[in-house]
């Protein structure tokens, strides 16, 4: 079962790591490994959400999502999109960006370094919005309860996330951007560039969120109609069939999943710029991570259950928030890639340990049948 589900991921991992060593030596190997872990970490909850929705689709649309969807996720968002980001920010053509990355690394590095303030501002604000919307939402499970409870109460204020993001952008533009780091160790005033790029990142997040909300509403409408059909079947005494979506409903589900997946892959691509500017290593690392996310989705669907480590989603979003801050700071100051990579690994590991501890505390109550269930709020105690 494990080899059948993750076989392609294992093969892509082996090929990707070999290519990383041949291209960038053991340093390249390390960067690709960190990027793979980062992508899996920040997209773990995406796999869980995908599995919950994918099981409602019929076999045909499941196969479409796991074939066409993989092509879009791996080759579209993880391979093509990093090139587009560099090309737009450096104001060169995509083909030129690829050529420079492969043939003239010195000039490519200069262009990317000089364009880094705009990349960092765009990505930092985009990631910050994801973190803020997560932390301001009142959730059933709370990891750091002492922090998340008051923030959830503050989250009832409309547009609070966007207001905070704009304030952070203004502070970053008037502090870090006034003396931004450029190629060769020089500094330049990039205030206007950072403001424009940051606003573009905020608008992009709002557009992606709007599209996701649109398709989610379509999904909720379809589920409501299904519920009414089930109630009618129970009233008439007929057998309630297992609901599997097809046709237009499945198509909307497919579009919703692709928009959702694009938003998560966008996080990974943007976060990757905090670790490396090399699009080859970036594409290898994110491609490997994306394959595991898809394999995990298939595994969860085939097993018929979702993962019980409830704090992993929190850890992933805290890692996103930390990376957002790091990106904005790197507009002016250089931060070592190892530090950036370890922040995410530590937060994910911490949330995993907290989840294990929570499950151990709940185990006796479940065994004795005291009525405790997995939906009860059990803070981690940290």
């Amino acid at each position: 079962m494990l080899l059948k589900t993750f076989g392609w991921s294992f093969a892509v991992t082996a090929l990707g790591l070999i290519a990383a060593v041949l291209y960038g030596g053991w340093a390249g190997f390390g960067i690709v490994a960190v990027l793979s872990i980062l992508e899996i970490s920040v997209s773990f909850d995406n796999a869980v959400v995908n599995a919950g929705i994918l099981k409602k689709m019929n076999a045909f649309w499941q196969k479409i999502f796991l074939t066409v969807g993989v092509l879009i996720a791996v080759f579209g968002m993880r391979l093509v999109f990093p090139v587009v980001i560099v090309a737009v920010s450096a104001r060169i053509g995509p083909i030129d960006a690829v050529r420079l990355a492969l043939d003239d690394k010195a000039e490519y590095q200069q262009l990317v370094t000089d364009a880094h303030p705009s990349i960092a501002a765009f990505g930092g604000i985009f990631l910050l919005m994801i973190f803020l919307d997560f932390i301001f939402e009142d959730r059933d499970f709370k990891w750091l309860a002492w922090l998340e409870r008051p923030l959830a109460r503050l989250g009832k204020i409309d547009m609070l996330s966007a207001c905070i993001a704009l304030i952070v952008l203004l502070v970053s533009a008037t502090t870090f951007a006034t003396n931004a780091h450029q190629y060769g160790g020089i500094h330049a005033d990039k205030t206007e560039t950072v403001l424009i790029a940051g606003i573009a990142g905020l608008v992009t997040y709002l557009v992606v969120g709007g599209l996701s909300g649109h398709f989610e509403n379509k999904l909720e409408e379809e589920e409501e109609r299904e519920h009414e059909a089930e109630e009618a079947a129970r009233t008439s005494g007929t057998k309630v069939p297992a609901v599997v979506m097809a046709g237009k409903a499945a198509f909307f589900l497919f579009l919703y999943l692709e928009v959702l997946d694009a938003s998560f892959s966008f996080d990974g691509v943007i976060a990757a710029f905090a670790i490396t500017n090399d699009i080859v290593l970036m594409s290898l690392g994110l491609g490997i991570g994306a394959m595991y996310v898809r394999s995990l989705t298939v595994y969860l669907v085939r097993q018929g259950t979702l993962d019980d480590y409830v704090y992993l989603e929190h850890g992933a979003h805290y890692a996103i928030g930390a990376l957002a801050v790091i990106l904005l700071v790197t507009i002016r100051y250089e931060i070592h890639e190892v530090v950036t990579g370890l922040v995410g690994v530590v937060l994910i590991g911490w949330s995993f340990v907290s989840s294990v501890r929570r499950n151990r505390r709940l185990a006796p109550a479940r065994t004795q049948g005291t009525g405790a269930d997995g939906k009860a709020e059990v803070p981690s105690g940290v």
Side-chain angles (χ1 to χ4, degrees):
M1 172 66 178
L2 187 66
L3 183 61
K4 181 179 179 181
T5 304
F6 290 89
W8 279 106
S9 297
F10 294 152
V12 170
T13 299
L15 293 174
L17 292 177
I18 291 172
V21 173
L22 294 176
Y23 175 79
W26 290 110
F29 177 92
I31 291 173
V32 169
V34 169
L35 285 173
S36 302
I37 295 172
L38 173 68
E39 176 68 13
I40 295 170
S41 300
V42 300
S43 298
F44 178 85
D45 51 342
N46 188 25
V48 174
V49 173
N50 285 351
I53 298 175
L54 193 63
K55 65 183 180 182
K56 299 179 181 180
M57 302 167 71
N58 63 14
F60 172 78
W61 281 101
Q62 286 186 4
K63 190 173 294 184
I64 290 293
F65 176 75
L66 297 172
T67 52
V68 177
V70 167
L71 293 177
I72 295 174
V74 176
F75 295 100
M77 292 303 298
R78 272 78 173 190
L79 299 182
V80 177
F81 192 58
V83 176
V84 174
I85 289 180
V86 173
V88 170
S89 60
R91 298 181 182 179
I92 59 175
I95 296 177
D96 291 333
V98 175
R99 180 183 60 79
L100 288 174
L102 299 176
D103 302 330
D104 194 347
K105 295 180 182 178
E107 184 180 353
Y108 173 80
Q109 182 64 30
Q110 178 178 348
L111 288 173
V112 171
T113 302
D114 291 344
H116 181 74
S118 59
I119 296 174
F122 184 95
I125 296 301
F126 185 90
L127 293 175
L128 182 63
M129 282 295 298
I130 292 173
F131 169 71
L132 291 174
D133 275 353
F134 177 87
I135 201 66
F136 284 137
E137 184 177 342
D138 190 9
R139 299 180 176 276
D140 293 333
F141 300 107
K142 291 178 174 61
W143 180 29
L144 306 179
W146 57 271
L147 175 64
E148 294 172 12
R149 283 198 186 99
L151 290 177
R153 288 194 289 269
L154 285 175
K156 296 178 181 179
I157 302 174
D158 291 337
M159 301 303 293
L160 180 61
S161 296
C163 291
I164 292 177
L166 287 172
I167 292 172
V168 171
L169 174 61
L170 183 61
V171 172
S172 300
T174 54
T175 53
F176 303 133
T178 56
N179 198 21
H181 176 75
Q182 296 287 270
Y183 186 78
I186 63 174
H187 292 79
D189 187 351
K190 293 285 186 176
T191 302
E192 181 180 354
T193 300
V194 166
L195 282 173
I196 294 174
I199 292 173
L202 177 61
V203 170
T204 301
Y205 175 82
L206 294 175
V207 169
V208 171
L211 287 173
S212 297
H214 170 73
F215 292 127
E216 190 172 8
N217 289 336
K218 292 287 185 181
L219 172 60
E220 290 175 354
E221 291 173 3
E222 189 65 29
E223 288 178 340
E224 186 177 348
R225 284 195 291 269
E226 290 171 0
H227 179 70
E228 292 174 354
E230 289 175 359
E231 290 297 324
R234 290 192 182 94
T235 302
S236 61
T238 58
K239 182 179 179 181
V240 180
V243 177
V244 180
M245 294 189 185
K248 184 186 294 185
F251 178 68
F252 277 122
L253 273 178
F254 176 75
L255 291 181
Y256 171 62
L257 284 174
E258 288 307 313
V259 171
L260 190 67
D261 188 68
S263 66
F264 276 93
S265 62
F266 191 72
D267 314 350
V269 171
I270 292 300
F273 276 102
I275 297 175
T276 181
N277 286 327
D278 192 313
I279 59 173
V280 175
L281 296 178
M282 187 185 302
S283 299
L284 288 173
L286 295 180
I288 291 172
M291 287 299 298
Y292 278 100
V293 171
R294 289 291 163 138
S295 295
L296 181 59
T297 300
V298 177
Y299 180 80
L300 293 174
V301 171
R302 289 176 177 174
Q303 288 293 102
T305 184
L306 298 179
D307 202 279
D308 195 36
Y309 300 110
V310 296
Y311 299 134
L312 280 176
E313 185 178 5
H314 296 72
H317 281 85
Y318 278 107
I320 288 174
L323 286 171
V325 174
I326 289 173
L327 275 173
L328 294 173
V329 172
T330 57
I331 293 174
R332 181 169 182 175
Y333 302 103
E334 291 188 67
I335 297 178
H336 199 279
E337 296 165 348
V338 174
V339 175
T340 306
L342 284 177
V343 168
V345 172
V346 169
L347 287 169
I348 294 296
W350 184 13
S351 64
F352 174 78
V353 171
S354 297
S355 299
V356 172
R357 291 169 55 192
R358 170 190 176 274
N359 292 342
R360 287 176 179 173
R361 285 197 302 270
L362 288 180
R366 288 171 175 167
T367 302
Q368 297 169 11
T370 57
D373 58 41
K375 293 183 180 180
E377 179 187 322
V378 181
S380 65
V382 292

